[in-house]
Amino acid sequence: MGNRILVQFPGLGSYVPGVLADVVANAPQLGSILADVDRVAGQYGLGPVSVPLTDPSGPLLEDLADTPTLLHLASFTSAYVLYQALRAKGFEEDMLLGHSTGEITALVAGGALSVADGARVLCEREVALSDVGPRGGLVALQTGARHAEHLCAAAGGWSVQVSLRNSPVQTVVSGIDEDLARLEAVARGAGVSATRLLVRYPHHNTALRLAGRRLAEAVASVPITDPAARIFSPILDHTVSCAVHARQIVERHLTDPVGYVCAIRSLYDDFGVREFLEVGVRPVLTDLAREILPATAAVLGPPPLTHSAAQILAVLAGSPTISPAAHRFGGSVSEADEVATSTIVQEAPVAAAPEDVAVNSGERPVLPGRDVLEARIRSVFAQALGYPEDVFTDDAHLEADLGITSVRKIDLLVRLLDEYQLPTPPARLRMRDYSTVPKLAELMQSLPFGEVAV
């Protein structure tokens, strides 16, 4: 028997405008998935999800986040369409796993929910949140769960709690806005990078109990069956073997924490999974899995430099990283597939600062000229992520175009701030507005003078 393979589905944030245009044009069975989701979205007064997913000039991630339900539906739909396209190529996995709302995708892929009912669950959760959910959010901390718990205790407040254990060095904390502001201040004081994420509610937090009950009542009539495939739930921390387990995920995914680290370790240690394939349009979970697993595990996700589902499928279906490829997919690896796969690399260490970097020796930090500063930003990002420097063009959007998560962007920016001894940006700063290399350089140049707009 070959190595067991896991398919993992990301949650919120796995969205690229127009990504499905090339695969649904000539595949009616895939187009019908979009039609099912569009029909449900219309029942909730929303526009069609198929438009942003098939129009390359559709809204960017930050813009679509203004309508959270559409962003959730887009992430769900794109991942499920890619999964079905892989299945059409003869792909067979041994286990499914979803992260946060990706658990709904896993339930649909595993046969416990229909596509329409999966979309309905996602819509009802947002209705419940808008009706009774307290405003708040999520803060990603670049530290382990135990340290994050200590920071929560130091910050105080009734609502802050660890919500997503993503990797040994990334933990996400949720809470209401005023509690999170104190947490961010405590984290900065402790030298821990803290990044506010693009959500409006304290997800995976007991503060959402009332919204969770409202959701459970709203979806009580939604049919849920025993899954036909093996699913592992990071929320339940065990396999989903029956309809009762599947309904528990639906009813508890607003309030219960996500134990991704423990789930991935359990799948590797106890279930013999050795190949971890992220099926989505952006590499949201791939880097997290690499931080958890030993180097011998095969970890593969969508390439970060493509907006085409066909290219993503070529990498996922043809890469020799998932072995044996011919057994899994019934085909050989083409030269084009190997070229596409070569863009996926392990993270490289960040090089030391060049000797000509100015060091702060006076009252205000001294920065090099704009061109030198932008070149340094490109160098740090390229070496940390394994990208060629020439992909960081002036208009390349770091998240939408290059697939760099907001958490990773902030982590690398913090390294640059430390290198030039620059002050920390204000907590209220909208980091989503600094989405290109020139904009990051502009931010860095404004920090010493207190000229940052918030």
Side-chain angles (χ1 to χ4, degrees):
M1 179 183 296
N3 290 337
R4 290 183 174 176
I5 185 169
L6 170 77
V7 163
Q8 48 182 350
F9 299 105
L12 185 67
S14 182
Y15 163 74
V16 171
V19 68
L20 299 183
D22 52 6
V23 297
V24 301
N26 299 310
Q29 73 277 15
L30 299 180
S32 67
I33 297 173
L34 273 69
D36 286 344
V37 178
D38 282 350
R39 186 163 50 253
V40 174
Q43 294 168 0
Y44 288 85
L46 300 169
V49 178
S50 57
V51 173
L53 289 178
T54 57
D55 182 3
S57 62
L60 297 176
L61 174 65
E62 298 93 336
D63 298 326
L64 198 63
D66 291 335
T67 310
T69 310
L70 280 179
L71 183 54
H72 281 295
L73 290 174
S75 299
F76 158 72
T77 305
S78 56
Y80 185 68
V81 166
L82 285 174
Y83 174 73
Q84 288 300 329
L86 283 174
R87 297 282 295 182
K89 292 176 178 289
F91 170 77
E92 295 180 4
E93 77 288 337
D94 298 292
M95 188 81 75
L96 301 170
L97 174 145
H99 182 276
S100 190
T101 50
E103 292 226 41
I104 306 304
T105 314
L107 292 178
V108 174
L113 280 168
S114 69
V115 172
D117 286 333
R120 188 166 290 108
V121 167
L122 292 173
C123 290
E124 288 292 349
R125 76 188 293 278
E126 294 304 314
V127 171
L129 286 170
S130 64
D131 285 347
V132 296
R135 284 303 181 108
L138 299 173
V139 171
L141 302 175
Q142 290 299 102
T143 190
R146 179 165 295 185
H147 191 199
E149 289 170 349
H150 293 321
L151 294 175
C152 289
W158 65 271
S159 69
V160 288
Q161 64 184 63
V162 169
S163 294
L164 300 102
R165 292 169 169 84
N166 280 344
S167 84
V169 293
Q170 186 192 110
T171 306
V172 178
V173 172
S174 63
I176 61 174
D177 287 328
E178 52 265 38
D179 289 349
L180 287 182
R182 287 195 299 272
L183 172 71
E184 289 169 325
V186 168
R188 288 196 299 272
V192 175
S193 173
T195 306
R196 186 72 72 100
L197 305 182
L198 288 174
V199 296
R200 299 176 180 176
Y201 301 98
H203 296 291
H204 305 291
N205 190 306
T206 53
L208 296 181
R209 281 198 186 102
L210 183 56
R213 288 198 293 271
R214 181 74 61 88
L215 171 63
E217 293 169 358
V219 300
S221 62
V222 170
I224 299 179
T225 63
D226 294 343
R230 299 185 74 187
I231 305 171
F232 193 97
S233 168
I235 288 178
L236 302 182
D237 194 30
H238 59 69
T239 56
V240 182
S241 58
C242 61
V244 172
H245 293 158
R247 191 168 291 279
Q248 287 174 343
I249 292 171
V250 170
E251 295 178 347
R252 291 163 48 181
H253 77 274
L254 283 178
T255 58
D256 287 20
V258 175
Y260 182 71
V261 173
C262 292
I264 293 299
R265 286 175 175 165
S266 179
L267 288 167
Y268 185 89
D269 293 339
D270 303 329
F271 290 85
V273 175
R274 294 295 181 268
E275 301 172 5
F276 297 77
L277 183 71
E278 179 177 4
V279 176
V281 299
R282 300 176 71 215
V284 177
L285 303 176
T286 304
D287 287 344
L288 299 179
R290 287 196 182 111
E291 291 173 347
I292 299 168
L293 294 162
T296 53
V299 181
L300 182 65
L305 305 178
T306 181
H307 298 162
S308 162
Q311 293 176 3
I312 294 172
L313 290 167
V315 171
L316 297 183
S319 172
T321 303
I322 299 297
S323 60
H327 170 72
R328 292 293 184 183
F329 295 95
S332 60
V333 180
S334 69
E335 181 179 354
D337 293 339
E338 290 177 357
V339 171
T341 306
S342 68
T343 64
I344 301 176
V345 295
Q346 295 286 346
E347 178 179 315
V350 176
E355 293 181 359
D356 62 348
V357 168
V359 178
N360 177 22
S361 58
E363 293 183 357
R364 286 179 171 177
V366 179
L367 290 173
R370 183 63 171 264
D371 290 345
V372 175
L373 182 57
E374 290 185 7
R376 180 59 184 156
I377 295 172
R378 290 187 179 91
S379 175
V380 168
F381 273 70
Q383 292 188 58
L385 300 167
Y387 293 2
E389 286 192 29
D390 57 10
V391 305
F392 294 93
T393 58
D394 286 351
D395 59 352
H397 193 289
L398 297 174
E399 295 189 36
D401 293 331
L402 303 181
I404 302 170
T405 65
S406 58
V407 173
R408 196 72 176 101
K409 180 180 73 174
I410 296 297
D411 181 44
L412 294 174
L413 176 61
V414 168
R415 297 189 195 184
L416 288 160
L417 297 181
D418 291 344
E419 180 179 309
Y420 291 103
Q421 301 182 35
L422 291 170
T424 302
R428 294 174 294 132
L429 186 72
R430 284 167 49 100
M431 279 306 302
R432 73 182 76 171
D433 295 334
Y434 298 92
S435 55
T436 65
V437 169
K439 288 182 179 180
L440 287 179
E442 177 185 350
L443 170 63
M444 293 176 66
Q445 288 183 321
S446 64
L447 283 173
F449 308 102
E451 297 172 352
V452 182
V454 294

